[in-house]
Amino acid sequence: MRVRKSSVMVLLTSMLVLMTACSSGNNGASGNNTPAASNDAANNTTATAEAADYTFGADQTFHSNEPVSYSMMYSDHENYPYNKDWRLWSAIQEKTNVTFDLSITARTEYENQKSLLVNSGDAPYIIPKTYDESAFVATGQIVPVSDWVQYMPNYMKAVKDWGMEEDLKAKLKEDGKYYVLPGMWEIAGGGYSYIIRKDVFEAAGVDVEGQQGNWTYEDFYKAMKKVKDYTGSNYVISDQFKGESALNIAAVQYGVTGGWGLSNGLNFDHDKQQFVFADASEDFKNYLGYFNKLITDGIMDPESFTQEDDAAQAKFFKGDTYVISGIYQVLADFKSKMQVPDSELYMITQPGGPKGKLQVETSRLENGIMISQNALDDLGKEGFIKMLRFIDWLWYSNEGQTLSLWGVEGETYTKDADGNIVLNPDIYYNGMNEGAAKQLNVDYGFAGGVFAYGGSEKLKVSKMTDGEKDFVNRVQTTRETRKLVPPIMATPEESEQMKLISTPLMDYVKTMTLKFITGQESFDNWNQYTAQVEANGSTRYTEMANDIFQKTKDLLGY
């Protein structure tokens, strides 16, 4: 049954009201500062007296008087394998008196193991690194954590101070609640773009630094054409990620979906306040036509859409090609592998397109943490709240976030006169201190994907090299922020119906995307494509999305 609008609005409103209460006053364990529960259940009951065995609060260190251990899933990354002796574990324990009972799973098997544990009812209390919680909501094994966030003062302070309310709406389900604690950044990142051989572009007569901020995709094509004419190379770009990155970032500027962002093919028209199926439109035809032109004119290697990443990288490193998609964090590694002397690599701002010069990255949310119902059942209300306040400190306080990312001050980093983080010179991380003997994640456990995400603008910038800071600044100053797309708050039954349509529909779109781009299908047959998209249910899917939006738009503030 759908929760009444009035109940959900009480929840959302009271969450905002409680932010001030959670971030002010004496936030110790005296019991005098506990805010009223917004949905502890929906009857406005007040929280019971605070247990006096731990301290917590906004900008205060969580510390339990008695040792405590919480069970947690852990995604073991092959590039920095789990080590029980990492300084990370002892640093957390020293601060908080908390340890973890870890369920360690290889990164490549993490999602499968997560599904197995949640669906069987055997999930650990804390389930981090969750990108999509939708499949777990109906199981009843995951806590609707929005009912409990008022007990998390650092989380609520970040929501208020950084204006995250609109961002969090993207996580709402059809009951008006959300089931994951997302990582939150004060500012959006730069995102994926194109790494180019700046030395070759300039030798071909392209004013890279002077013009790249103004480039549309057509301008980028002209620049690459100059490089092809100058070098006589077979191709200028032979891309990695099987084209998924390039298709995704270009789709934003054409008003369609593609690549990693293909999703359900829908865009949201904010003026008309309705969803439209974008991937059979004239915009989509123009988008595919652009990439087809790159292939036809010998600018882009057709193998971009089929080859493995290392094959694309090898062509770039050898100097056979001069453009490749990527994210700024790989730039230092790429520089070390270039086989052409004096190669100069540069990350361009994502080109604009027919819809404007838009930021590709809009969401400030990261993957997040699900909380198992087992935690509430086993710990009871007071013990559950205590665990949430530990999570609140480690993942959402500046102190906890700094610890997770940079480690221990005086051991792995120091601060300069302006309070900026300075990584110890014998430790490497993210392009800093290249050639250093130790690595921050491999040798110490800090800066890992299970803990180190989310934080203030200053913390985000602290992990950037000067070059990355320049890239992010160029994106933020020359690209327009896009409005966030509202979620489709479908019931489980509606979600299942829509999935039955979208899966074959989008499989067809993806298949035909590559055929049009590579020339296997002629644009003379465009009407046949659009007719088949319609036959596969695009109109029905769009109508369902709009019907759901109309039922829930008041909850979303439209």
Side-chain angles (χ1 to χ4, degrees):
M1 178 181 294
R2 185 177 300 279
V3 174
R4 292 184 298 114
K5 290 183 180 180
S6 58
S7 298
V8 178
M9 292 308 292
V10 166
L11 168 64
L12 295 176
T13 302
S14 56
M15 281 172 58
L16 301 181
V17 170
L18 285 164
M19 290 176 192
T20 303
C22 288
S23 58
S24 63
N26 176 15
N27 284 308
S30 65
N32 296 324
N33 64 314
T34 306
S38 65
N39 201 32
D40 173 24
N43 58 3
N44 295 320
T45 59
T46 57
T48 57
E50 198 67 61
D53 70 338
Y54 66 98
T55 57
F56 76 99
D59 301 321
Q60 294 190 35
T61 305
F62 175 95
H63 185 83
S64 174
N65 294 345
E66 299 296 327
V68 62
S69 181
Y70 297 123
S71 60
M72 184 179 79
M73 286 197 70
Y74 183 82
S75 176
D76 189 16
H77 201 293
E78 62 275 16
N79 291 342
Y80 42 97
Y82 165 79
N83 186 332
K84 65 181 178 60
D85 296 321
W86 273 340
R87 183 67 175 101
L88 168 73
W89 309 122
S90 59
I92 293 172
Q93 185 176 9
E94 288 168 8
K95 285 280 188 181
T96 66
N97 210 11
V98 175
T99 57
F100 294 106
D101 176 14
L102 296 177
S103 175
I104 301 170
T105 304
R107 179 190 63 85
T108 53
E109 292 299 320
Y110 190 71
E111 292 303 320
N112 290 336
Q113 183 68 2
K114 183 192 301 179
S115 296
L116 178 65
L117 290 174
V118 172
N119 291 329
S120 67
D122 295 326
Y125 295 168
I126 304 170
I127 310 171
K129 210 161 179 62
T130 295
Y131 290 89
D132 186 0
E133 70 284 4
S134 301
F136 306 109
V137 172
T139 67
Q141 297 298 318
I142 300 301
V143 172
V145 73
S146 57
D147 287 358
W148 297 89
V149 291
Q150 70 269 17
Y151 297 111
M152 302 176 64
N154 291 290
Y155 178 92
M156 298 296 278
K157 184 175 186 291
V159 172
K160 178 185 178 184
D161 291 352
W162 302 341
M164 301 296 300
E165 296 89 349
E166 289 298 316
D167 300 71
L168 288 172
K169 287 178 181 178
K171 307 307 296 181
L172 292 177
K173 301 305 178 186
E174 62 91 23
D175 58 3
K177 303 179 183 184
Y178 55 87
Y179 290 74
V180 66
L181 292 167
M184 297 186 293
W185 290 106
E186 184 177 6
I187 61 170
Y192 282 79
S193 189
Y194 301 94
I195 300 169
I196 71 168
R197 279 281 303 281
K198 183 168 178 280
D199 54 311
V200 175
F201 273 72
E202 289 181 339
V206 179
D207 178 11
V208 174
E209 292 194 41
Q211 295 299 320
Q212 59 86 39
N214 298 319
W215 279 351
T216 63
Y217 271 96
E218 289 299 327
D219 296 322
F220 189 32
Y221 164 83
K222 293 174 183 177
M224 290 190 287
K225 185 69 165 61
K226 286 185 178 181
V227 170
K228 182 176 177 65
D229 292 343
Y230 171 75
T231 61
S233 60
N234 289 331
Y235 305 107
V236 177
I237 176 172
S238 187
D239 211 11
Q240 58 180 343
F241 310 126
K242 296 185 177 179
E244 296 286 298
S245 172
L247 289 172
N248 178 46
I249 61 179
V252 170
Q253 315 297 349
Y254 281 83
V256 298
T257 74
W260 285 329
L262 180 67
S263 186
N264 53 20
L266 297 182
N267 264 352
F268 189 73
D269 186 324
H270 286 274
D271 292 331
K272 296 181 179 178
Q273 293 201 359
Q274 64 182 25
F275 288 99
V276 295
F277 191 80
D279 289 1
S281 62
E282 282 299 305
D283 290 331
F284 193 65
K285 183 179 181 181
N286 293 334
Y287 160 77
L288 300 181
Y290 175 80
F291 282 98
N292 175 255
K293 180 169 66 174
L294 294 184
I295 298 293
T296 301
D297 292 357
I299 302 294
M300 190 172 199
D301 182 359
E303 292 183 355
S304 296
F305 301 98
T306 55
Q307 67 190 348
E308 298 301 324
D309 293 355
D310 56 358
Q313 293 170 13
K315 294 172 185 177
F316 188 72
F317 297 154
K318 287 190 297 183
D320 293 338
T321 59
Y322 313 99
V323 179
I324 191 169
S325 291
I327 198 165
Y328 202 94
Q329 285 82 352
V330 305
L331 210 62
D333 180 55
F334 277 22
K335 287 178 181 178
S336 71
K337 294 177 178 177
M338 295 302 296
Q339 299 169 26
V340 182
D342 302 319
S343 299
E344 186 176 359
L345 305 188
Y346 184 83
M347 178 81 83
I348 66 168
T349 309
Q350 300 96 336
K355 301 303 178 182
K357 294 183 175 69
L358 306 173
Q359 285 188 18
V360 172
E361 298 293 324
T362 56
S363 176
R364 296 179 291 166
L365 303 182
E366 281 268 11
N367 65 84
I369 304 162
M370 293 191 301
I371 308 297
S372 169
Q373 181 66 32
N374 292 332
L376 183 55
D377 294 342
D378 295 349
L379 298 174
K381 177 182 174 184
E382 294 303 328
F384 183 75
I385 291 172
K386 178 178 179 178
M387 186 189 77
L388 287 180
R389 285 173 171 158
F390 163 70
I391 292 170
D392 180 61
W393 176 82
L394 183 56
W395 274 276
Y396 296 100
S397 75
N398 185 66
E399 181 185 24
Q401 290 166 335
T402 302
L403 175 69
S404 295
L405 178 58
W406 290 114
V408 180
E409 186 174 2
E411 294 184 33
T412 55
Y413 74 91
T414 56
K415 289 184 178 180
D416 64 18
D418 296 321
N420 298 313
I421 299 287
V422 180
L423 184 63
N424 286 7
D426 63 335
I427 302 174
Y428 171 83
Y429 174 62
N430 198 33
M432 302 175 188
N433 301 331
E434 292 183 47
K438 298 178 181 179
Q439 295 186 52
L440 190 60
N441 52 7
V442 175
D443 297 290
Y444 297 90
F446 301 114
V450 172
F451 296 103
Y453 50 86
S456 66
E457 178 178 2
K458 185 173 184 178
L459 189 65
K460 190 178 188 75
V461 170
S462 74
K463 64 177 184 175
M464 298 179 185
T465 60
D466 289 341
E468 185 175 2
K469 292 175 187 176
D470 172 67
F471 169 65
V472 172
N473 180 65
R474 282 185 275 125
V475 171
Q476 292 180 338
T477 56
T478 66
R479 295 296 179 261
E480 178 185 353
T481 302
R482 291 183 292 146
K483 293 181 180 179
L484 297 174
V485 174
I488 300 173
M489 296 167 61
T491 65
E493 294 78 12
E494 289 168 336
S495 294
E496 184 61 29
Q497 293 176 39
M498 296 181 78
K499 184 178 180 181
L500 290 173
I501 299 173
S502 67
T503 299
L505 169 62
M506 299 316 296
D507 284 347
Y508 176 71
V509 170
K510 187 172 184 177
T511 297
M512 295 305 295
T513 291
L514 296 187
K515 286 187 175 182
F516 279 119
I517 288 174
T518 58
Q520 298 175 54
E521 183 65 70
S522 171
F523 284 95
D524 291 340
N525 298 325
W526 183 254
N527 289 341
Q528 296 176 24
Y529 164 74
T530 58
Q532 187 59 50
V533 167
E534 168 67 25
N536 284 2
S538 60
T539 297
R540 175 59 184 147
Y541 187 90
T542 307
E543 288 173 347
M544 290 185 69
N546 282 316
D547 288 344
I548 293 166
F549 174 73
Q550 288 300 318
K551 291 187 292 185
T552 59
K553 67 178 183 179
D554 289 348
L555 304 180
L556 297 169
Y558 285 87

